[in-house]
Amino acid sequence: MRVTTYAYPWDLARIGVERALQEIVSCGIDALDLASTYHPIDTLSPRDGSPRVFTNARGAVYFPARTERYGRIQPSVAAPEICAVWPEVAKHATKLDLEISAWTITLYQPWIVDAHPECARTLPSGDPIGSGVCPASDDFREYFAALCADIVDQFAVSMIRLEGLAAPTYDYGWLRPRVLVEVSPLAGELLAICFCVSCCRRGIDEGLDVEALRQLVNDAIVAEIEDPAGTPERAANLAADAELHAFLVQHERASVELARIAVSRLDAATAPRLSTMVWTPYSQLLDDHTRSDLQDELALAVDQLVGVSVHDAQRLRSSSALSERPVEFGVLLAPLHSPATAAGAERIERGLRGAAELGASEISLYNYGLLREKDVRDLVTAVRAPL
Ligand SMILES: [Zn+2]
């Protein structure tokens, strides 16, 4: 089993890169998943004396991006002392035989929306969402291709780990949300259908009546808010609507296309492996067959999938579409509570059992700087121990 750990550059900057990497290697960890970009966050690190807080309200780029390589969307680069971690890690990792993955946040980048509101995912009402960009946006795609090439050209990364490639729930990343009506699961799925300029254009280009779709979706949202218990017919009728189905498939494909775009400027012979998480916001609106086909398409675009159920892993392993290019499965082990607590220990045990059932080849610990050194060592021991 290959074991990796997620880590923030700001934690490594404070701890000291060489010291941190030596500790990581001495724990028995094979690779470091180092954030190259990150979303808004408030973290508490227990490392090195009194716990330290890191805050960023709109997300940023955390490696020394070369701005001249980018077009309209210029990277919002973090403080030089944090970005300096990346070259420092690259220098020491080779000596320590530690692989580096570029842990890259994909859509949850509010700083892009601030500078380029037209890139925002947009509700069926036409209201843009402040927390995330749409994977169909041409400007964002251009930026993202440049970003991934910039990382790979500067640093010897063995993997690009794309987080949040698929469109999330409509309210993901909202600051202090105030929603005082019941939003049923179906209403949530409908609200997550993007009607940004790019998605509307793609729909029109495919011959869809996008304004009629907008009306259909908005009417259904109103009906769900009025009657959150809903009716089975309402969900079934929406799922059976051929134009809505085509529009949703376009949305899902936009993320698959983005995975291909991530490596589009790299030399295929030397490109790092690509990993991403499996997720869809449309579990009721898309049927199982369509979701399986879309999962196959995603699997063909990457080398590793994270967050796959045991059922889906079995299906993907036997899928004829993947017979020439089998996909590997990874597992994210995130205690979320201290591993020393009963809740944390239970979550870890569940994660390890899931990884064994899945036949995962890699387990990634979350997250080096947020855990005590003892917790990291205990986690690696648990991963390496036979179940
Ligand atoms: Zn869109």
Side-chain angles (χ1 to χ4, degrees), residues 200-223:
C200 290
R201 192 200 63 232
R202 284 159 64 95
I204 291 165
D205 287 349
E206 200 172 304
L208 305 178
D209 185 343
V210 171
E211 284 314 305
L213 278 174
R214 188 199 294 275
Q215 190 69 51
L216 174 78
V217 169
N218 276 327
D219 287 350
I221 293 168
V222 169

Side-chain angles (χ1 to χ4, degrees), residues 238-262:
L238 289 164
D241 187 286
E243 292 228 345
L244 183 58
H245 184 269
F247 199 48
L248 291 172
V249 169
Q250 274 196 336
H251 282 55
E252 295 280 58
R253 285 222 171 99
S255 293
V256 177
E257 291 161 16
L258 194 57
R260 293 196 200 101
I261 286 166

